[in-house]
Amino acid sequence: MVKRLFALVLVLVLALSVSACGGTKLASLEDDPDKKVELVWATTHLGHQDDEIVWKQFNKNLQKLLPNTTVDFIELNAENWSNWMAAKKQIDIAWTGYSFDMKSLITNRSYLGLNKLIDMYAPNIQAEREEWVDAYYSGTVDGELYAIPNQQPLLKQSVGLEIPYSCYDSFDVDAFLSEAHNNYHTTQKMIDLLDSYMAELHAKKLVDTDTVGWNPETSVFYALVNRGYESVSDLLSYDVWTDDVKVIANYELPQEKMVQKLLQSWYQKGWLKADYVTTGNNINGSRKAPINFTLTNNWIQADERGIKVNMDKYGEPESYTLYLDKIEQGYNGVSTIGSEATYLAIPFTSHNPGRAIKLIDLLRSERGTEANDLLNLLVYGFEKDSEYAAEYGTYHYTLGDGTEENADCAYGVDYTIQADSNCIYGIPHWVVGNVYLTYRTPNIVSGQVEDALNYQLNVKPTLRKTPLYKFRPDTSKLGDLIANIENARSNAGKLTTKNDAEFETTYEKMIKDCETAGMTEYKENIQKQVDEYIAANSDAAA
């Protein structure tokens, strides 16, 4: 909710600032390499003790690779971004992604189109764009690229069901995985197996212990609902495994009611605490939930059955993740602007767009080059045995653990995966560039980078392309209608808290209220767009 409010405020501010500037003259795309330039890079996850000394060394090394260029890094957040754009403050490079309504920001011309800049100055980005077609398409509108994706070897190859280590023997894992791997959609048998598992945990008093909490993480149970379906627009989905595409309201999915009914029954049995259901407050604390679902899972981390063992910070097993989807159950479908989650953009307030694209491109140089060393310096800081550690009397990570398989793994001196503001230094790799080019962090296992690269470039393109591959709906005139339907859905209240009779009547009333709010009109509009898209692409293929 906070991210959504942030995005809405951002859109309003930018709409006002851009329209107010009207014909404001943008900086020339041409870059004079002899001109001294200070680029302003707005990004997140700054505020460390050693930021300034690392950036000092970064700028020193940059002179050899991109002469006459220095960078001023500034912290990006909702408040200062809004103020900067309203004041048309110089920002030459900006992180963007999941916290932003990228579609609206592009529509409002907050980011510069990058096609010409890339043609002029960015051969590395051009090569990436030709290779990573779908990733780059997610930052493209009407053929113009506005946001450069920061690709990551963290894939969504399967929905993952995470259960605590101590609860494994109480779950019929083999039956559950067999049912999941043989069905594109969640089945009633899978629901029943989860129900039996929860009953077993409570019978054996395996919940509410020192390590296992009371409540399943119900906020992520949508992962069960959505298996085999894809969102085609807000509140609407379609079955990716049929060629006869019919737009479906999410509440019409049989899995939606199956899951809601399961949670309602758990609430009636006392397996879901009222405070958690009504407020969303975390009552498990740091303990593992009896059931949790994850979306980012790489098969290379699991065994051949689809089971991954997760370790705690002491190297002891604390949970299992069960992979519900096989590789061949993946697909290529609808394209959503911003779906890669993390990007770099050049705002319309850039004073030096040519130099900015040169720097972004430089940091996408091949592994093992001086430019790649510069990227790792920016991300990780000073390595323990480096000349910088000796010069500055401090270090921020160790490269490798003495084994050959982990020679490319960076171990933070005071963090494991991602540094926070209390750490000496460390900027997440996904914030500043292509993660395939940086040293990996311990959550990325040996061989995962290569495996993910092969999947993205060689395997994924061979998987099913749905009839809506690369489809994007036009909802520019449907905002009020969607809001009315969302209000009708939310006004139904918490279905989980109803008794059996109330559940059925409330569910039916919710459907009728959504229809009254305009769901039929909305579905017909999107279905028409879907049909036209499929027809146009069929004609093109013919």
Side-chain angles (χ1 to χ4, degrees), residues 155-176:
L155 307 178
K156 295 182 179 180
Q157 291 181 325
S158 174
V159 169
L161 165 61
E162 185 182 11
I163 58 175
Y165 182 79
S166 60
C167 300
Y168 182 86
D169 291 337
S170 297
F171 190 40
D172 194 340
V173 171
D174 289 337
F176 187 83

mmCIF file of all heavy atoms in Angstrom, residues 155-176:
data_model
loop_
_atom_site.group_PDB
_atom_site.id
_atom_site.type_symbol
_atom_site.label_atom_id
_atom_site.label_comp_id
_atom_site.label_asym_id
_atom_site.label_seq_id
_atom_site.Cartn_x
_atom_site.Cartn_y
_atom_site.Cartn_z
ATOM 1 N N LEU A 155 15.635 -16.158 -10.613
ATOM 2 C CA LEU A 155 14.576 -16.439 -11.568
ATOM 3 C C LEU A 155 13.279 -16.861 -10.880
ATOM 4 O O LEU A 155 13.284 -17.348 -9.750
ATOM 5 C CB LEU A 155 15.022 -17.555 -12.519
ATOM 6 C CG LEU A 155 16.360 -17.341 -13.218
ATOM 7 C CD1 LEU A 155 16.685 -18.542 -14.091
ATOM 8 C CD2 LEU A 155 16.350 -16.061 -14.042
ATOM 9 N N LYS A 156 12.200 -16.683 -11.615
ATOM 10 C CA LYS A 156 10.891 -17.153 -11.147
ATOM 11 C C LYS A 156 10.539 -18.430 -11.910
ATOM 12 O O LYS A 156 9.579 -18.492 -12.668
ATOM 13 C CB LYS A 156 9.840 -16.069 -11.355
ATOM 14 C CG LYS A 156 10.086 -14.828 -10.504
ATOM 15 C CD LYS A 156 9.001 -13.783 -10.692
ATOM 16 C CE LYS A 156 9.261 -12.575 -9.801
ATOM 17 N NZ LYS A 156 8.238 -11.524 -9.955
ATOM 18 N N GLN A 157 11.364 -19.468 -11.697
ATOM 19 C CA GLN A 157 11.156 -20.725 -12.409
ATOM 20 C C GLN A 157 10.062 -21.565 -11.770
ATOM 21 O O GLN A 157 9.563 -22.498 -12.397
ATOM 22 C CB GLN A 157 12.461 -21.523 -12.461
ATOM 23 C CG GLN A 157 13.522 -20.884 -13.346
ATOM 24 C CD GLN A 157 14.792 -21.702 -13.404
ATOM 25 O OE1 GLN A 157 15.197 -22.326 -12.427
ATOM 26 N NE2 GLN A 157 15.442 -21.699 -14.558
ATOM 27 N N SER A 158 9.702 -21.243 -10.538
ATOM 28 C CA SER A 158 8.671 -22.026 -9.856
ATOM 29 C C SER A 158 8.128 -21.264 -8.659
ATOM 30 O O SER A 158 8.856 -20.510 -8.015
ATOM 31 C CB SER A 158 9.250 -23.362 -9.367
ATOM 32 O OG SER A 158 8.315 -24.074 -8.596
ATOM 33 N N VAL A 159 6.863 -21.491 -8.361
ATOM 34 C CA VAL A 159 6.332 -21.110 -7.059
ATOM 35 C C VAL A 159 6.957 -22.045 -6.031
ATOM 36 O O VAL A 159 7.132 -23.244 -6.286
ATOM 37 C CB VAL A 159 4.796 -21.245 -7.030
ATOM 38 C CG1 VAL A 159 4.260 -21.103 -5.599
ATOM 39 C CG2 VAL A 159 4.160 -20.215 -7.943
ATOM 40 N N GLY A 160 7.343 -21.519 -4.901
ATOM 41 C CA GLY A 160 7.943 -22.340 -3.862
ATOM 42 C C GLY A 160 7.085 -22.365 -2.604
ATOM 43 O O GLY A 160 6.603 -21.325 -2.151
ATOM 44 N N LEU A 161 6.861 -23.558 -2.055
ATOM 45 C CA LEU A 161 6.174 -23.711 -0.767
ATOM 46 C C LEU A 161 7.242 -23.952 0.288
ATOM 47 O O LEU A 161 7.961 -24.958 0.245
ATOM 48 C CB LEU A 161 5.200 -24.891 -0.815
ATOM 49 C CG LEU A 161 4.664 -25.398 0.532
ATOM 50 C CD1 LEU A 161 3.898 -24.307 1.262
ATOM 51 C CD2 LEU A 161 3.800 -26.638 0.340
ATOM 52 N N GLU A 162 7.381 -23.022 1.218
ATOM 53 C CA GLU A 162 8.386 -23.149 2.270
ATOM 54 C C GLU A 162 7.739 -23.651 3.554
ATOM 55 O O GLU A 162 6.738 -23.099 4.020
ATOM 56 C CB GLU A 162 9.077 -21.804 2.524
ATOM 57 C CG GLU A 162 10.226 -21.915 3.524
ATOM 58 C CD GLU A 162 10.884 -20.577 3.829
ATOM 59 O OE1 GLU A 162 10.325 -19.541 3.436
ATOM 60 O OE2 GLU A 162 11.952 -20.575 4.465
ATOM 61 N N ILE A 163 8.310 -24.698 4.124
ATOM 62 C CA ILE A 163 7.834 -25.234 5.399
ATOM 63 C C ILE A 163 9.029 -25.383 6.344
ATOM 64 O O ILE A 163 10.152 -25.650 5.902
ATOM 65 C CB ILE A 163 7.123 -26.590 5.226
ATOM 66 C CG1 ILE A 163 8.048 -27.624 4.568
ATOM 67 C CG2 ILE A 163 5.851 -26.421 4.403
ATOM 68 C CD1 ILE A 163 7.435 -29.013 4.473
ATOM 69 N N PRO A 164 8.820 -25.215 7.645
ATOM 70 C CA PRO A 164 9.936 -25.319 8.598
ATOM 71 C C PRO A 164 10.553 -26.718 8.584
ATOM 72 O O PRO A 164 9.875 -27.727 8.337
ATOM 73 C CB PRO A 164 9.268 -25.015 9.949
ATOM 74 C CG PRO A 164 8.043 -24.234 9.602
ATOM 75 C CD PRO A 164 7.567 -24.801 8.304
ATOM 76 N N TYR A 165 11.825 -26.767 8.891
ATOM 77 C CA TYR A 165 12.568 -28.023 8.907
ATOM 78 C C TYR A 165 11.927 -29.044 9.844
ATOM 79 O O TYR A 165 11.820 -30.231 9.512
ATOM 80 C CB TYR A 165 14.012 -27.735 9.334
ATOM 81 C CG TYR A 165 14.934 -28.918 9.348
ATOM 82 C CD1 TYR A 165 15.482 -29.403 8.158
ATOM 83 C CD2 TYR A 165 15.281 -29.557 10.544
ATOM 84 C CE1 TYR A 165 16.350 -30.496 8.160
ATOM 85 C CE2 TYR A 165 16.141 -30.645 10.552
ATOM 86 C CZ TYR A 165 16.667 -31.117 9.367
ATOM 87 O OH TYR A 165 17.514 -32.193 9.374
ATOM 88 N N SER A 166 11.476 -28.572 11.006
ATOM 89 C CA SER A 166 10.915 -29.478 12.017
ATOM 90 C C SER A 166 9.535 -29.993 11.648
ATOM 91 O O SER A 166 9.019 -30.906 12.307
ATOM 92 C CB SER A 166 10.843 -28.763 13.373
ATOM 93 O OG SER A 166 10.019 -27.603 13.284
ATOM 94 N N CYS A 167 8.921 -29.438 10.602
ATOM 95 C CA CYS A 167 7.564 -29.828 10.222
ATOM 96 C C CYS A 167 7.526 -30.736 8.994
ATOM 97 O O CYS A 167 6.449 -31.196 8.591
ATOM 98 C CB CYS A 167 6.719 -28.579 9.943
ATOM 99 S SG CYS A 167 6.575 -27.451 11.345
ATOM 100 N N TYR A 168 8.671 -31.000 8.422
ATOM 101 C CA TYR A 168 8.737 -31.727 7.146
ATOM 102 C C TYR A 168 8.044 -33.089 7.212
ATOM 103 O O TYR A 168 7.284 -33.469 6.309
ATOM 104 C CB TYR A 168 10.196 -31.899 6.743
ATOM 105 C CG TYR A 168 10.412 -32.602 5.423
ATOM 106 C CD1 TYR A 168 10.395 -31.898 4.224
ATOM 107 C CD2 TYR A 168 10.643 -33.984 5.378
ATOM 108 C CE1 TYR A 168 10.599 -32.538 3.007
ATOM 109 C CE2 TYR A 168 10.841 -34.629 4.169
ATOM 110 C CZ TYR A 168 10.829 -33.904 2.995
ATOM 111 O OH TYR A 168 11.017 -34.552 1.802
ATOM 112 N N ASP A 169 8.282 -33.831 8.274
ATOM 113 C CA ASP A 169 7.732 -35.186 8.375
ATOM 114 C C ASP A 169 6.220 -35.194 8.567
ATOM 115 O O ASP A 169 5.599 -36.265 8.471
ATOM 116 C CB ASP A 169 8.399 -35.943 9.524
ATOM 117 C CG ASP A 169 9.859 -36.268 9.238
ATOM 118 O OD1 ASP A 169 10.234 -36.312 8.049
ATOM 119 O OD2 ASP A 169 10.634 -36.459 10.197
ATOM 120 N N SER A 170 5.633 -34.039 8.830
ATOM 121 C CA SER A 170 4.184 -33.968 9.004
ATOM 122 C C SER A 170 3.449 -33.671 7.702
ATOM 123 O O SER A 170 2.222 -33.572 7.685
ATOM 124 C CB SER A 170 3.838 -32.887 10.039
ATOM 125 O OG SER A 170 4.373 -33.208 11.303
ATOM 126 N N PHE A 171 4.199 -33.531 6.615
ATOM 127 C CA PHE A 171 3.603 -33.177 5.332
ATOM 128 C C PHE A 171 3.858 -34.289 4.318
ATOM 129 O O PHE A 171 4.972 -34.820 4.235
ATOM 130 C CB PHE A 171 4.217 -31.861 4.833
ATOM 131 C CG PHE A 171 3.530 -31.250 3.640
ATOM 132 C CD1 PHE A 171 2.157 -31.249 3.524
ATOM 133 C CD2 PHE A 171 4.275 -30.663 2.622
ATOM 134 C CE1 PHE A 171 1.519 -30.680 2.435
ATOM 135 C CE2 PHE A 171 3.656 -30.088 1.521
ATOM 136 C CZ PHE A 171 2.266 -30.104 1.427
ATOM 137 N N ASP A 172 2.841 -34.626 3.534
ATOM 138 C CA ASP A 172 3.000 -35.633 2.486
ATOM 139 C C ASP A 172 3.634 -34.954 1.266
ATOM 140 O O ASP A 172 2.964 -34.614 0.291
ATOM 141 C CB ASP A 172 1.642 -36.245 2.123
ATOM 142 C CG ASP A 172 1.784 -37.519 1.298
ATOM 143 O OD1 ASP A 172 2.859 -37.707 0.697
ATOM 144 O OD2 ASP A 172 0.825 -38.303 1.244
ATOM 145 N N VAL A 173 4.941 -34.770 1.359
ATOM 146 C CA VAL A 173 5.683 -34.015 0.351
ATOM 147 C C VAL A 173 5.583 -34.668 -1.023
ATOM 148 O O VAL A 173 5.344 -33.996 -2.034
ATOM 149 C CB VAL A 173 7.158 -33.863 0.779
ATOM 150 C CG1 VAL A 173 7.990 -33.270 -0.357
ATOM 151 C CG2 VAL A 173 7.255 -32.975 2.020
ATOM 152 N N ASP A 174 5.769 -35.979 -1.068
ATOM 153 C CA ASP A 174 5.764 -36.671 -2.359
ATOM 154 C C ASP A 174 4.418 -36.517 -3.073
ATOM 155 O O ASP A 174 4.365 -36.262 -4.279
ATOM 156 C CB ASP A 174 6.083 -38.152 -2.161
ATOM 157 C CG ASP A 174 7.535 -38.384 -1.780
ATOM 158 O OD1 ASP A 174 8.370 -37.511 -2.095
ATOM 159 O OD2 ASP A 174 7.840 -39.423 -1.176
ATOM 160 N N ALA A 175 3.328 -36.681 -2.326
ATOM 161 C CA ALA A 175 1.998 -36.566 -2.932
ATOM 162 C C ALA A 175 1.748 -35.146 -3.421
ATOM 163 O O ALA A 175 1.180 -34.934 -4.501
ATOM 164 C CB ALA A 175 0.921 -36.983 -1.925
ATOM 165 N N PHE A 176 2.180 -34.169 -2.627
ATOM 166 C CA PHE A 176 1.950 -32.767 -2.984
ATOM 167 C C PHE A 176 2.734 -32.393 -4.245
ATOM 168 O O PHE A 176 2.181 -31.802 -5.177
ATOM 169 C CB PHE A 176 2.351 -31.862 -1.820
ATOM 170 C CG PHE A 176 1.988 -30.418 -2.027
ATOM 171 C CD1 PHE A 176 0.714 -29.954 -1.740
ATOM 172 C CD2 PHE A 176 2.920 -29.514 -2.525
ATOM 173 C CE1 PHE A 176 0.372 -28.618 -1.936
ATOM 174 C CE2 PHE A 176 2.595 -28.181 -2.727
ATOM 175 C CZ PHE A 176 1.315 -27.737 -2.432
#
